[in-house]
Amino acid sequence: MINYIAKITIYVNNQEEAKQFWTEKMGFICHEQPMGPNFKWMEVKPNKSTSTSFVIYEKQLMKAQNPNMSVEHPNVILSTSSIETVYNKLKENEVEVGPLQEMPYGKMFSFKDQDGNNYLLREDK
């Protein structure tokens, strides 16, 4: 059902400073791409063959995008190769799931565990 733990989000005050820390001080590699006006996807990981990475978001931009949300974007992002199947299975298992969304970079939905903690499941393109 779920293939692996894909991404863990880190909320920072400044993406460029975080990029400098993770690449220059920690030796990680960085991948980034635009996600809209003044917003970019930034992902760092130890090397190309590593499956799990950190996604670095600017706190203020996330809050500006979601002003009515009391909880920020989920910190843990899981990956699957069949998102519709997993979405339907979790609903069948009475897991609280958010809407299935299609973004330019893939499909995703959020879900909550028994304590209300938020997670994101993503099918990358």
Side-chain angles (χ1 to χ4, degrees):
M1 206 162 77
I2 293 174
N3 299 333
Y4 58 91
I5 297 172
K7 301 169 190 338
I8 300 167
T9 57
I10 300 174
Y11 300 99
V12 300
N13 293 322
N14 183 295
Q15 269 186 322
E16 290 303 315
E17 288 177 7
K19 177 183 173 181
Q20 183 179 4
F21 172 82
W22 288 105
T23 58
E24 294 178 15
K25 295 187 178 190
M26 300 300 294
F28 282 34
I29 58 172
C30 181
H31 168 74
E32 53 189 282
Q33 68 184 47
M35 287 182 66
N38 304 316
F39 198 65
K40 66 180 166 183
W41 179 268
M42 183 179 290
E43 192 172 329
V44 295
K45 59 184 182 176
N47 56 61
K48 287 182 182 181
S49 63
T50 302
S51 298
T52 306
S53 62
F54 292 140
V55 177
I56 300 172
Y57 287 117
E58 285 200 26
K59 291 177 191 178
Q60 294 307 316
L61 288 174
M62 289 302 290
K63 288 180 183 178
Q65 265 195 339
N66 302 300
N68 296 325
M69 290 182 68
S70 60
V71 178
E72 293 180 331
H73 189 279
N75 287 71
V76 177
I77 303 174
L78 306 170
S79 179
T80 184
S81 56
S82 56
I83 197 147
E84 287 91 1
T85 302
V86 177
Y87 186 77
N88 292 328
K89 180 67 174 174
L90 293 183
K91 285 176 70 173
E92 181 183 306
N93 290 346
E94 299 180 354
V95 174
E96 183 180 343
V97 297
L100 183 58
Q101 302 174 2
E102 187 160 356
M103 307 300 271
Y105 46 85
K107 294 179 183 179
M108 65 182 164
F109 68 90
S110 62
F111 67 94
K112 293 184 179 184
D113 67 13
Q114 76 288 345
D115 291 320
N117 295 310
N118 245 343
Y119 301 88
L120 192 75
L121 183 62
R122 179 173 153 163
E123 179 181 82
D124 298 324
K125 286 187 175 181

